[in-house]
Amino acid sequence: MSARWAGRKGRAWRELCTQVYADPAETHCIRCGKAVDKDMRGTAPHSRSVDHIIAIDLGGARLSRDNVALAHFGCNSRHGANVRWAKHRGTPMVGTRMIVDVDPHSL
């Protein structure tokens, strides 16, 4: 398995995704703050995906429920390993997760 996909394949990853999709508190994209249709699958920009809050490359836990959240596929694909996504342009955070604006160079 290539390093790019490490922690994002296999049974453990699919089970973690299932937990996120089934969580009633997960209703909005962690990136843009807009509602996500959990039934929409595939690679359309507004389809569902699970995103690592702190990128694996920057030391984030690969398969920890605390380090993943619901996101639009497009939002997830667009940001890459950037962790400075926490500012939602004035949109209030939805759900119970705390978002921290982290400078990856200070880790």
Side-chain angles (χ1 to χ4, degrees):
M1 178 182 333
S2 72
R4 176 179 169 86
W5 295 105
R8 293 176 286 238
K9 281 185 131 179
R11 184 184 323 165
W13 175 249
R14 287 189 305 272
E15 289 174 359
L16 184 59
C17 290
T18 300
Q19 288 177 17
V20 172
Y21 298 144
D23 187 347
E26 297 273 358
T27 58
H28 289 70
C29 176
I30 194 74
R31 302 281 171 197
C32 70
K34 296 179 182 174
V36 175
D37 180 359
K38 292 184 182 182
D39 296 325
M40 190 174 187
R41 298 177 183 194
T43 58
H46 292 288
S47 63
R48 69 184 187 178
S49 74
V50 175
D51 191 9
H52 286 93
I53 296 170
I54 298 179
I56 295 170
D57 297 345
L58 298 173
R62 295 175 189 274
L63 297 171
S64 170
R65 178 64 181 95
D66 292 332
N67 191 40
V68 295
L70 185 66
H72 291 114
F73 179 81
C75 294
N76 190 354
S77 300
R78 206 171 18 257
H79 82 84
N82 181 5
V83 295
R84 298 187 65 87
W85 54 267
K87 296 180 181 176
H88 292 299
R89 293 184 213 108
T91 305
M93 189 185 86
V94 178
T96 58
R97 293 188 181 271
M98 177 186 294
I99 298 176
V100 179
D101 190 10
V102 178
D103 180 5
H105 301 292
S106 68
L107 298 176

